[in-house]
Amino acid sequence: MTRTAPPTGEVPAGSAPVGQVAARMSTLDRFLPVWIGLAMVVGLLAGRWVPGIADALDAMAVGSISLPIAIGLLVMMYPVLAKVRYGELGTVVRDRRTMVLSLVLNWLVGPALMFTLAWTFLPDLPEYRTGLIIVGLARCIAMVIVWNDLACGDREAAAVLVALNSVFQVVAFAGLGWFYLEVLPGWLGLGATGLDVSVWEIAVSVLVFLGIPLAAGYLSRRIGEGRRGREWYEERFLPVVGPWALYGLLFTIVVLFALQGDTITSRPLDVARIALPLLLYFVLMWAGSMVVAHRIGLGYARSTSVAFTAAGNNFELAIAVAIAVFGVTSGQALAGVVGPLIEVPVLVGLIYVSLWSRRFFTDTRTGDLP
């Protein structure tokens, strides 16, 4: 994921079309959809055909945290968070438009949209419907950082918005679950479902999947720049650790799909029914967020961060909650697993759509172009 920043940090509106951007990417970045597709296939086949692999991976857990997935996510997120210029986070925090828009999209629009799609497409399948609603409540704090980076979004904005999501996830997840699974269905005359999940479980998830790599990234920049200077840190150190973000991503995908490969491949029709509302959700959330951010005057980089943060979901938390509350073989757990099956290829595709859309922004500043 090595990047070469232009001298001015800006490009004229409409420049650097997708073809030129792709040509300047490393081989690893350029064929990302291929590697991700292969990782998904390897994981699914391993889960289906390798005896005992799912049980072995599932056994490597501490509480509700899968150690293989945690390792993959930490390796994936550290290089991107090491690239963040933490001294510039204040400019994002002071940007009220970005902060308010992200909060509205993530905690009002996203859950409401998933609730609507779940009841529209799965009215007769309450287990899958509940699983989708849980996915909609779990806002993204992990993979979105990689998607944002590949789409040349604002790294500092992504770091702040992910941290903001983490805080709200701890304080709001259980309450929103109660509202969307019990209160709102009751008001609408629909069937209600309980969701018993502790704030502690959510806090642990946030600490592991965001807190550890965030602290490591911050310390790396602080120590590296302090001892060797910014030029060494950004031109010598970051290019070495950068590719590990995609290695971690691919490892995570293989592990995730190996864990549920047998379930996914043995219930293809159920997977298809769950996939349709998920597909609509990711596309609508990303496109709507991008349009609104553009309309209120955000530049390309910050609009991209808002859009990917709003579209992505914390599948680790959603799956953990579904398994803890409803069981590993439940329909709710299957819906959680199908989430990344659809999210990963869709958001990878939206990276290219995002790069193409840069021509429509008058301010196409990015902190770090490909």
Side-chain angles (χ1 to χ4, degrees):
M1 292 172 59
T2 304
R3 302 282 189 268
T4 302
T8 63
E10 297 186 7
V11 293
S15 67
V18 176
Q20 295 178 23
V21 171
R24 286 182 286 167
M25 287 182 174
S26 68
T27 301
L28 186 65
D29 285 353
R30 192 180 310 139
F31 295 102
L32 178 63
V34 176
W35 311 137
I36 287 178
L38 288 174
M40 293 170 69
V41 171
V42 169
L44 288 171
L45 292 179
R48 178 74 176 179
W49 299 111
V50 178
I53 188 171
D55 292 336
L57 290 171
D58 194 47
M60 291 186 284
V62 177
S64 61
I65 302 296
S66 167
L67 290 181
I69 291 178
I71 291 170
L73 288 172
L74 294 179
V75 173
M76 176 188 79
M77 294 178 65
Y78 165 71
V80 181
L81 289 169
K83 295 176 183 178
V84 173
R85 293 177 176 176
Y86 292 91
E88 300 176 10
L89 295 182
T91 60
V92 181
V93 175
R94 290 190 293 270
D95 185 350
R96 293 185 178 180
R97 292 179 304 171
T98 299
M99 301 290 282
V100 172
L101 178 59
S102 181
L103 284 175
V104 169
L105 290 169
N106 275 286
W107 298 101
L108 294 179
V109 177
L113 176 61
M114 187 67 90
F115 176 87
T116 302
L117 291 172
W119 274 98
T120 299
F121 288 92
L122 302 170
D124 57 328
L125 296 171
E127 289 190 357
Y128 298 155
R129 185 176 65 238
T130 298
L132 285 188
I133 293 173
I134 293 173
V135 170
L137 297 176
R139 311 314 300 168
C140 195
I141 63 169
M143 283 191 177
V144 66
I145 292 177
V146 177
W147 309 145
N148 174 78
D149 201 53
L150 290 169
C152 302
D154 187 320
R155 285 188 186 130
E156 288 67 41
V160 170
L161 297 180
V162 163
L164 191 64
N165 274 346
S166 300
V167 173
F168 270 78
Q169 200 147 241
V170 172
V171 301
F173 183 91
L176 286 174
W178 169 73
F179 176 77
Y180 279 104
L181 294 174
E182 293 191 39
V183 177
L184 187 55
W187 288 351
L188 299 176
L190 305 171
T193 303
L195 181 63
D196 182 18
V197 57
S198 73
V199 172
W200 172 247
E201 289 178 308
I202 301 168
V204 169
S205 174
V206 170
L207 176 64
V208 171
F209 296 125
L210 177 63
I212 293 175
L214 184 61
Y218 172 78
L219 290 174
S220 292
R221 180 170 284 277
R222 177 125 187 193
I223 294 171
E225 285 191 359
R227 293 184 176 179
R228 306 292 293 273
R230 174 169 287 190
E231 182 177 353
W232 174 87
Y233 183 81
E234 295 192 345
E235 296 183 9
R236 306 289 289 276
F237 177 75
L238 290 182
V240 173
V241 302
W244 283 92
L246 292 187
Y247 301 152
L249 172 64
L250 297 176
F251 173 79
T252 303
I253 291 171
V254 170
V255 172
L256 182 67
F257 288 106
L259 278 167
Q260 298 291 339
D262 184 64
T263 302
I264 291 174
T265 55
S266 64
R267 298 158 77 176
L269 294 180
D270 289 350
V271 169
R273 288 201 61 180
I274 297 169
L276 181 56
L278 281 168
L279 174 62
L280 290 174
Y281 172 83
F282 294 128
V283 172
L284 290 174
M285 281 299 295
W286 183 89
S289 301
M290 201 73 167
V291 169
V292 172
H294 178 267
R295 289 290 179 88
I296 67 172
L298 298 184
Y300 170 79
R302 203 152 286 183
S303 297
T304 298
S305 299
V306 168
F308 278 100
T309 305
N313 289 86
N314 185 355
F315 64 81
E316 308 91 354
L317 176 61
I319 294 171
V321 168
I323 291 175
V325 177
F326 302 102
V328 69
T329 60
S330 65
Q332 291 89 341
L334 176 61
V337 170
V338 175
L341 177 69
I342 306 303
E343 177 179 351
V344 171
V346 169
L347 292 190
V348 168
L350 289 174
I351 290 170
Y352 293 92
V353 177
S354 184
L355 292 169
W356 170 83
S357 74
R358 190 159 54 190
R359 67 192 68 193
F360 298 107
F361 288 81
T362 55
D363 171 18
T364 56
R365 181 185 65 81
T366 67
D368 202 14
L369 286 173

